[in-house]
Amino acid sequence: MSMNLSAKLDELQRGDRQLETTVALCEIRTQLQELTKSVESCQSEVSEVKRDMVAIKHELDTVQAVKEEIEELREYVDRLEEHSHRRKLRLLEQGLTFFLSYAILAAVLGMLQFGYNTGVINAPELNIENFMKDVYKDRYGKDIPEDSVKQLYSVAVSIFAIGGMLGGFSGGMIANRFGRKGGLLLNNVLGIGGACLMGFTKISHSYEMLFFGRFIIGVNCGLNTSLVPMYISEIAPLNLRGGLGTVNQLAVTVGLLLSQVLGIEQILGTDDGWPLLLGLAICPAVLQLVLLPACPESPRYLLITRQWEEEARRALRRLRANNQVEEDIEEMRAEERAQQAEASISMRELLCSPTLRAPLLIGVVMQLSQQLSGINAVFYYSTSLFTSSGLTEESAKFATMGIGAIMVGMTLVSLPLMDRTGRRTLHLYGLGGMFIFSIFITISFLIKEFFGYVQEMIDWMSYLSVVSTLSFVVFFAVGPGSIPWMITAELFSQGPRPSAMAIAVLVNWMANFVVGIGFPSMKSALENYTFLPFSVFLAIFWIFTYKKVPETKNKTFEEILALFRHSNGRGSLRDSRLYGSMLNCVNALEQQLPPPPAPVEEKPDSSVSEHSSHGDQGRGRAPPPLPPPRFPAGGGV
């Protein structure tokens, strides 16, 4: 019995061991299957890591290739910068040649026309008013009221500015269609027609003909104020551009002085002589028609606008009296590259361009600083201004001649200063001096009011008024007289320059018209405080010039453009050596570079173990970016 029981117990124990073994084997089999799956998953992750490493190496190779190209580009830009610097030095060494002087003389006859017709209406004021009274009495059989005569005379003065607005606004279109020289030649037809109309006013016994003639000659002068500075700034060498730009104002002042000298009673300032005085405006137009055809067209217009390189080279050889004109051609090409993105700029595009908005605002404010300074009140009404301060009629006319003489003398003084001191500095001096002496003019008027009963005080006040007015003119000639015309042409490259000049000239003539038509009424309303609004304007313009206007002395057109790119957040001219033409070269060469690579990525060292131990935890996670690469020449990982 006990043996049977022991046998049965042994059988049960063997069965339990077999069952345990089977269970253990099943567990081992399950674990082996899980381990196999884990190994397969690890192999998959390792394959992915290998592919990622290959991609990283490819990216690093690309980065290295781009780095090498950037180094080559830097070396090329450095060489180009050095070449551009040498070219600029050679441009700065260019001198004034005979033929360049001849071309400038022929062109500035248009500005002499402008100055002559600005001042010619001043001296014969009483003669013209008497003529209007006679015509009105012959027509209507009664005398015209004195106020109406003053209004008709102010129309004759200010309609000149209305014509100037029309001419100035169309200057850009004329310059682009017919060229700078071609536009000046065609413009002389208007000059001859306007002069003839004014000259035959008395014979026709019609003051309407005087108005129409003043309007036509105004259109002529408006075109001149747009075309002449443009032409001179484009043919002048870089180092002479400031001084030669001042020649514009010199011609204007010579025209003013000529009109004032011829307008005295001893010459043509009489009832019979004033039509001839106005008709002499035909002389500059005829003289320019004779002289200008021998001059070349603007090389910049020929090369950049018309793409006629050979004609541009021929024009440069004549102007520079030298067959080596490659530096000028390269400088024009650099300007062309700088404004390619803004080529064929319309006025609407000019107003909407962020880069060009700042120079346009500066150009407009500079023109306003010239006209709203009060200088045209002096030019148009200086004779009556001096008589109201106590001078006799004859003394007032000679004092007016003194204004013209001082303008000529001070403009000659400012010629060498323009390229030595700089445009911005001279403009600040000019505005500041005009502000001070406009206050003195107001003080002289107030002294006359409060101490007019004392004869000695009247004499002293008259001298103070004359000295203050002449000093006012001196500072105008130093700065605001010539700089606005010149700096407006300098602030823009070839593409937007005509449209910018047209807008600036339009603003200039509009302000001219407002001063011409409004000054008599303002004088009646404000009396002794007539010049006080001009003092306020001068203070505002001084602050604007100090804060906003850059110095353009000895800068190429592309460097000036780079200044405004910097102000628009496109780079720094002062802090970077890659300015001016360098910017153009970078823009042209960056097209050769491959597209910029995506940020280079690298998985951390523990990624393999993470993938091995955690399976899917490593998937779908962006690895951290690499630091800036610093590789050996081979670029290996």
Side-chain angles (χ1 to χ4, degrees):
M1 183 73 179
S2 61
M3 291 181 63
N4 290 335
L5 185 59
S6 297
K8 287 180 180 180
L9 287 173
D10 291 339
E11 287 177 4
L12 287 173
Q13 287 176 355
R14 284 195 298 271
D16 289 342
R17 283 196 295 271
Q18 288 175 356
L19 181 61
E20 289 176 0
T21 302
T22 303
V23 171
L25 288 174
C26 289
E27 289 179 358
I28 292 171
R29 190 179 295 113
T30 302
Q31 290 178 0
L32 286 174
Q33 289 174 351
E34 291 179 358
L35 184 59
T36 302
K37 291 179 180 179
S38 178
V39 169
E40 290 175 353
S41 175
C42 185
Q43 288 175 345
S44 175
E45 295 294 335
V46 169
S47 299
E48 288 184 10
V49 171
K50 286 181 178 179
R51 285 195 296 270
D52 289 344
M53 295 300 291
V54 171
I56 290 172
K57 187 176 186 307
H58 177 71
E59 295 289 346
L60 291 175
D61 291 340
T62 304
V63 169
Q64 182 62 28
V66 172
K67 179 184 175 184
E68 291 174 358
E69 290 197 24
I70 290 175
E71 291 297 330
E72 292 177 2
L73 179 62
R74 284 176 179 170
E75 292 176 3
Y76 177 75
V77 169
D78 287 339
R79 291 196 303 270
L80 196 58
E81 182 190 21
E82 184 180 354
H83 173 70
S84 177
H85 181 67
R86 288 198 302 266
R87 184 195 72 199
K88 183 176 177 180
L89 290 177
R90 288 194 294 268
L91 288 173
L92 290 172
E93 293 171 358
Q94 291 177 343
L96 188 65
T97 64
F98 171 79
F99 197 73
L100 178 62
S101 304
Y102 173 85
I104 291 171
L105 173 64
V108 297
L109 288 171
M111 298 304 282
L112 186 140
Q113 177 83 291
F114 169 52
Y116 184 84
N117 286 283
T118 298
V120 74
I121 200 74
N122 189 349
E125 176 180 353
L126 294 177
N127 309 108
I128 294 173
E129 288 179 353
N130 291 333
F131 165 74
M132 291 176 175
K133 291 176 183 177
D134 295 339
V135 172
Y136 188 89
K137 189 170 185 178
D138 291 343
R139 286 182 183 177
Y140 305 107
K142 60 180 181 180
D143 292 331
I144 184 173
E146 192 66 29
D147 290 343
S148 299
V149 175
K150 294 293 183 185
Q151 288 178 351
L152 285 175
Y153 178 75
S154 67
V155 169
V157 171
S158 56
I159 201 171
F160 172 72
I162 296 177
M165 279 187 256
L166 178 62
F169 192 69
S170 57
M173 179 188 67
I174 298 294
N176 281 335
R177 181 162 187 177
F178 301 104
R180 284 55 164 156
K181 171 188 168 184
L184 286 171
L185 289 172
L186 289 173
N187 189 30
N188 288 312
V189 176
L190 293 175
I192 293 171
C196 291
L197 286 170
M198 292 188 297
F200 291 113
T201 296
K202 191 168 185 180
I203 295 175
S204 66
H205 207 61
S206 169
Y207 48 73
E208 291 84 1
M209 183 175 282
L210 173 63
F211 297 158
F212 189 53
R214 285 281 291 174
F215 175 77
I216 296 298
I217 204 72
V219 175
N220 168 264
C221 292
L223 283 168
N224 281 329
T225 54
S226 180
L227 295 172
V228 174
M230 198 184 306
Y231 180 74
I232 290 179
S233 70
E234 291 180 4
I235 68 173
L238 179 63
N239 60 318
L240 299 178
R241 202 169 62 213
L244 294 181
T246 312
V247 174
N248 291 317
Q249 183 63 16
L250 178 62
V252 173
T253 58
V254 170
L256 275 168
L257 179 60
L258 192 61
S259 68
Q260 291 161 354
V261 171
L262 294 177
I264 62 175
E265 290 185 14
Q266 290 82 352
I267 305 179
L268 293 176
T270 61
D271 289 337
D272 295 327
W274 70 263
L276 177 59
L277 179 66
L278 270 61
L280 284 176
I282 197 174
C283 295
V286 172
L287 189 58
Q288 191 175 65
L289 274 177
V290 173
L291 297 178
L292 196 60
C295 301
E297 180 56 89
S298 161
R300 290 181 185 274
Y301 170 77
L302 293 172
L303 181 65
I304 300 176
T305 304
R306 307 293 292 178
Q307 295 295 316
W308 294 344
E309 183 171 341
E310 192 53 43
E311 287 81 355
R313 289 180 182 275
R314 281 200 295 268
L316 281 170
R317 290 188 192 108
R318 295 177 67 192
L319 290 169
R320 304 291 185 258
N322 193 336
N323 290 329
Q324 302 300 322
V325 294
E326 288 304 319
E327 287 81 8
D328 292 274
I329 294 291
E330 288 181 22
E331 195 259 333
M332 292 178 199
R333 289 294 188 197
E335 179 187 348
E336 182 182 18
R337 290 191 295 270
Q339 58 90 35
Q340 273 179 350
E342 298 153 353
S344 302
I345 290 287
S346 66
M347 290 190 184
R348 181 179 177 183
E349 292 169 335
L350 178 64
L351 293 170
C352 296
S353 170
T355 305
L356 298 176
R357 195 177 298 135
L360 181 63
L361 175 64
I362 290 172
V364 166
V365 175
M366 293 290 280
Q367 298 294 334
L368 290 175
S369 73
Q370 184 185 77
Q371 294 300 327
L372 298 184
S373 63
I375 193 64
N376 273 344
V378 174
F379 288 160
Y380 289 148
Y381 302 102
S382 59
T383 303
S384 60
L385 202 64
F386 287 137
T387 53
S388 66
S389 66
L391 293 180
T392 64
E393 184 74 24
E394 185 176 359
S395 299
K397 287 189 176 182
F398 280 106
T400 299
M401 286 175 56
I403 289 176
I406 286 178
M407 283 284 289
V408 173
M410 288 308 300
T411 305
L412 286 171
V413 169
S414 67
L415 279 172
L417 294 177
M418 194 63 63
D419 283 310
R420 185 178 304 170
T421 307
R423 287 71 150 146
R424 179 178 178 272
T425 304
L426 284 181
H427 199 64
L428 287 171
Y429 281 136
L431 291 174
M434 292 178 76
F435 171 78
I436 293 170
F437 284 103
S438 67
I439 299 295
F440 278 118
I441 291 173
T442 301
I443 291 173
S444 69
F445 288 154
L446 292 174
I447 290 175
K448 178 188 175 184
E449 179 183 2
F450 291 112
F451 300 98
Y453 55 88
V454 181
Q455 184 61 41
E456 292 80 1
M457 188 64 70
I458 292 176
D459 295 337
W460 180 80
M461 182 276 306
S462 299
Y463 290 124
L464 175 63
S465 176
V466 172
V467 170
S468 299
T469 304
L470 295 181
S471 301
F472 185 83
V473 172
V474 165
F475 281 97
F476 174 79
V478 167
S482 57
I483 290 173
W485 297 115
M486 177 173 50
I487 203 169
T488 304
E490 287 183 331
L491 288 175
F492 297 91
S493 57
Q494 188 75 13
R497 187 179 297 130
S499 296
M501 287 294 293
I503 292 174
V505 170
L506 172 66
V507 170
N508 186 287
W509 281 99
M510 285 178 64
N512 188 328
F513 170 74
V514 169
V515 174
I517 198 74
F519 183 74
S521 301
M522 189 171 70
K523 186 180 176 187
S524 301
L526 298 178
E527 295 180 348
N528 296 321
Y529 298 96
T530 301
F531 269 80
L532 208 54
F534 297 128
S535 302
V536 174
F537 279 124
L538 286 165
I540 294 171
F541 294 138
W542 191 94
I543 294 171
F544 180 87
T545 303
Y546 183 79
K547 294 284 188 182
K548 298 293 185 182
V549 178
E551 181 56 72
T552 60
K553 179 184 72 171
N554 285 343
K555 287 186 174 66
T556 62
F557 289 111
E558 79 231 45
E559 290 172 0
I560 295 169
L561 180 61
L563 281 171
F564 294 104
R565 283 179 172 172
H566 164 54
S567 66
N568 197 42
R570 298 190 183 182
S572 173
L573 176 72
R574 188 173 299 169
D575 300 331
S576 174
R577 294 182 299 120
L578 310 180
Y579 61 89
S581 60
M582 304 307 102
L583 293 173
N584 306 328
C585 297
V586 170
N587 292 335
L589 289 172
E590 66 183 1
Q591 302 295 329
Q592 303 174 7
L593 292 176
V600 181
E601 299 175 352
E602 182 185 62
K603 298 183 185 296
D605 295 338
S606 60
S607 60
V608 177
S609 61
E610 285 183 16
H611 284 307
S612 302
S613 58
H614 299 292
D616 293 337
Q617 285 184 359
R619 297 181 185 177
R621 252 186 346 194
L626 283 174
R630 297 180 180 275
F631 310 122
V637 178

